[in-house]
Amino acid sequence: MAMLEAEGDPEFMTSLARGLAVLRCFADEQKPMTIAQASRLTGLSRPAVKRCLHTLSRLGYAAQDGTQYSLRPKALALGYAYLSSSTFAMRAQPLLDTLRDELHESCSVGVIEEDEVYYVARAEISRIMSIALRVGSRLPLYCTSMGRVLLAAQDRADQVAYLRRTELVARTARTCVDRSLLLDILHRVAEEGYAIVDQELEQGLVSVAVPVIARGRVVGALNMGAQAARVPIVELRTRYLPALRRSARELGTTGLG
């Protein structure tokens, strides 16, 4: 998509964009891949993918084992370049650690990027989801508490445009995939200043999120997730929400990077 949008831009480096697309597909799959698999995931031709992987291997970012390619530890430097240079991410982590120890639940901070929630900091008490969440993980906006908080901060026109271009998949029997209802939900989230998701992303998981506001604008979201069998929805509001709001205010005051 981005490469198509950049057509006609004389400053745009298509070769760099292709290399980054190949790198990103490793994060999506989280396993070694063949040239054919990477080609299918990126939409690039096999010769283009082969050149990208050859270059990444020569530079030490990837390794080849027969027909399989995998990333090498050197690739970590690319992700940590953001973490080490972002005041927001660095400030968020110790706050999340403190909040996790106070609430005894997993807490995260995310930002909106390319129609997804990107996790930039996380403090985990135990694994409560079937998928592993870590810094760099991405989740949908429409069915997550952080995603709804971030969407609620956008203009109505932007919300409508997002819902039109997004495939709304029912992740569970509870997932709201009705665009009109989602717009109503986002309006309520904007008015109330928080979002609660009850087993819409994954069965058995509930979460509550609040916006992180700095200099008058929403720069991220902070959430807490827990097992539905252990934490009732009313407790999300009465016990956890005040603590999240306190931490979000502190992060918004000191953590803008």
Side-chain angles (χ1 to χ4, degrees):
M1 179 67 74
M3 282 186 273
L4 291 176
E5 293 173 350
E7 286 184 355
D9 183 350
E11 301 297 322
F12 186 80
M13 292 182 63
T14 303
S15 58
L16 176 59
R18 288 172 176 167
L20 291 173
V22 171
L23 271 175
R24 178 167 171 171
C25 73
F26 281 97
D28 293 337
E29 289 298 290
Q30 300 181 14
K31 62 182 180 181
M33 286 184 297
T34 64
I35 290 173
Q37 290 170 327
S39 174
R40 184 178 68 254
L41 289 167
T42 60
L44 300 173
S45 68
R46 293 191 185 189
V49 170
K50 183 178 180 180
R51 289 194 297 272
C52 289
L53 288 170
H54 175 74
T55 302
L56 290 169
S57 297
R58 287 291 302 272
L59 293 175
Y61 291 103
Q64 182 180 2
D65 182 9
T67 62
Q68 300 277 333
Y69 288 84
S70 59
L71 294 185
R72 297 186 63 186
K74 187 176 181 180
L76 287 170
L78 301 175
Y80 280 102
Y82 166 77
L83 295 177
S84 62
S85 63
S86 170
T87 304
F88 183 65
M90 287 191 293
R91 180 57 179 157
Q93 190 59 58
L95 281 173
L96 283 184
D97 292 340
T98 300
L99 188 61
R100 173 201 58 199
D101 294 343
E102 175 187 347
L103 300 179
H104 304 292
E105 301 291 352
S106 298
C107 303
S108 308
V109 166
V111 297
I112 190 169
E113 194 76 33
E114 296 183 336
D115 287 348
E116 293 180 302
V117 180
Y118 274 64
Y119 281 63
V120 298
R122 180 164 171 80
E124 195 165 62
I125 197 73
S126 62
R127 183 168 169 176
I128 58 175
M129 294 185 64
S130 62
I131 59 173
L133 287 179
R134 58 181 68 88
V135 172
S137 293
R138 310 190 311 272
L139 287 177
L141 294 170
Y142 67 94
C143 60
T144 58
S145 59
M146 286 200 293
R148 288 180 180 176
V149 163
L150 294 167
L151 279 173
Q154 296 186 345
D155 294 334
R156 180 81 167 191
D158 292 332
Q159 296 171 359
V160 171
Y162 161 78
L163 292 172
R164 283 177 177 170
R165 66 177 176 263
T166 301
E167 180 184 4
L168 304 179
V169 178
R171 305 282 292 252
T172 75
R174 296 172 177 257
T175 309
C176 178
V177 293
D178 184 290
R179 288 172 171 81
S180 295
L181 288 178
L182 283 169
L183 286 172
D184 291 341
I185 290 172
L186 294 178
H187 178 71
R188 185 169 67 250
V189 169
E191 285 191 331
E192 297 178 343
Y194 70 93
I196 287 179
V197 167
D198 183 5
Q199 304 180 74
E200 294 189 53
L201 175 66
E202 182 170 303
Q203 191 68 35
L205 174 71
V206 295
S207 66
V208 55
V210 296
V212 178
I213 301 173
R215 300 176 186 173
R217 65 185 182 91
V218 174
V219 296
L222 187 156
N223 92 326
M224 182 280 295
Q227 294 174 343
R230 185 163 42 80
V231 179
I233 295 298
V234 65
E235 196 170 341
L236 291 180
R237 293 189 179 92
T238 58
R239 177 185 173 192
Y240 297 100
L241 180 58
L244 261 64
R245 281 176 162 162
R246 184 192 68 240
S247 295
R249 284 195 298 270
E250 184 176 354
L251 181 56
T253 301
T254 62
L256 182 62

